[in-house]
Amino acid sequence: KRLPEAAAVHIIAEACRGLDYAHQRKDNSGRVLGIVHRDVSPQNLVVSYSGDVKVLDFGIAKSAAREYHTAAGIVKGKLRYMAPEQVTGEPIDGRADLFAAAVVLWELLYGRRVMPDLPDTELVDWVQKGEFIRPPDVDLASTLEIDGILAKALEVNPADRYATCAEFATALNRHNITRWPHWTSNELGKMLETEFSDDARKEREWISHILGQMAAADAKLVQVELDVSVPASMRVLEAPSRDDIKTASTPSGGIRQPVRGVPTVLLPM
């Protein structure tokens, strides 16, 4: 079952906002770190029942700020979602993540894999040709507009794509606002609650169960604390404050000097 167009566009727009945040991160000197996720795929995008979109697993993310070595012939990430420059081992930046996000959007909109079922060696050649053709049997409410946005995001040459994930997200949001101005994260959350009502109910029950166990554990801890009392053979001696220090006479008639900075302690009586 395909997602509604508005939902699919909204999810990828929000994911791109999160990716752009990572791409623009700077070090203490103000230099952009050049973080690239490198593994944007459906498995690493999560949507909560409140409609929040999360990008997960930066485990193979690369930062330009650190030296990174990859064994010859090994490409990090899922081949079916890689940008052409990533597949061939060329230097990459945030536009590689943008390309991968566009592939995910294509699949959400059209309900099938964007790349044919080919061996990896042939798939590498196919990716570099950039033949992302919309299925003729799928008709969207805004086919021409969304096709144009996807075509730009899926350009083989990174220079021909949107410059940043933020720019791609802006194009997607503008598209949704024009056609579905009511669509927000709240609408997405409501849709998920309806589509996955049983799962949502089980999750709420599980959370309630865990919170109940935590509350019971806290209650036991409080009871233990209340049962612990200071033995009668101990008394609290509070040292005088700096503003409340007085002198006292010693048995020999001399003056005992005040002791400063002594903490509160427990002493036996």
Side-chain angles (χ1 to χ4, degrees), residues 37 39-46 54-57 78 81 104 107 113:
H37 188 286
D39 194 22
V40 177
S41 58
Q43 294 89 336
N44 288 332
L45 299 180
V46 173
K54 308 291 184 182
V55 181
L56 305 182
D57 195 2
K78 297 178 182 68
Y81 298 93
V104 177
E107 294 184 350
R113 286 187 179 276

Side-chain angles (χ1 to χ4, degrees), residues 12 19 36-45 60 75-87 92-109 111-116 120 123-124 126-127 132 153-155 161:
I12 299 304
L19 287 167
V36 184
H37 188 286
R38 301 202 303 164
D39 194 22
V40 177
S41 58
Q43 294 89 336
N44 288 332
L45 299 180
I60 66 168
V75 179
K76 299 285 188 177
K78 297 178 182 68
L79 189 57
R80 290 186 173 277
Y81 298 93
M82 285 186 189
E85 66 272 20
Q86 186 176 354
V87 169
I92 61 173
D93 56 25
R95 291 172 295 184
D97 288 344
L98 186 158
F99 182 96
V103 173
V104 177
L105 176 57
W106 195 101
E107 294 184 350
L108 289 175
L109 289 172
R112 64 195 66 177
R113 286 187 179 276
V114 66
M115 300 184 188
D120 287 353
L123 199 57
V124 169
W126 188 93
V127 170
F132 303 99
L154 291 171
E155 287 284 358
R161 298 174 203 151

Side-chain angles (χ1 to χ4, degrees), residues 175-188:
H175 171 77
N176 259 15
I177 290 172
T178 301
R179 286 191 164 268
W180 301 280
H182 69 284
W183 194 269
T184 63
S185 294
N186 288 336
E187 292 298 320
L188 179 59

